[in-house]
Amino acid sequence: MKTIKVLGSGCRNCQTTAQLIAEVAKAKGVDIALEKVESMAEIVGFGVMSTPGVVIDGHVVHAGGVPDRKKIEGWLG
């Protein structure tokens, strides 16, 4: 199971990113634990200055803008 955090203040792009990750994971049959992180202190703690950010298993894989499906598929293997 992959632990995925979507970093952002709950903006539309953050919501879209979380939704896309959930959809791609379901389609690929990958179990994920998806968490939305809205605390600016936590977001900055990851070194992310542009949201949405995505952290998978403790590693920042994306910051700024909604990632496309191909990129998400690559993250989920």
Side-chain angles (χ1 to χ4, degrees), residues 3-45:
T3 301
I4 302 174
K5 296 182 181 200
V6 176
L7 313 178
S9 62
C11 68
R12 184 179 194 132
N13 284 346
C14 300
Q15 294 170 358
T16 300
T17 297
Q19 181 180 356
L20 281 172
I21 291 170
E23 288 174 5
V24 171
K26 183 176 180 180
K28 291 182 68 73
V30 176
D31 288 330
I32 63 169
L34 185 63
E35 177 186 349
K36 296 177 185 174
V37 176
E38 295 184 1
S39 162
M40 288 309 294
E42 281 187 74
I43 293 168
V44 172

Side-chain angles (χ1 to χ4, degrees), residues 27-69:
K28 291 182 68 73
V30 176
D31 288 330
I32 63 169
L34 185 63
E35 177 186 349
K36 296 177 185 174
V37 176
E38 295 184 1
S39 162
M40 288 309 294
E42 281 187 74
I43 293 168
V44 172
F46 281 106
V48 171
M49 298 297 170
S50 181
T51 60
V54 179
V55 177
I56 299 180
D57 296 333
H59 302 283
V60 176
V61 296
H62 179 80
V66 176
D68 63 38
R69 287 182 182 270

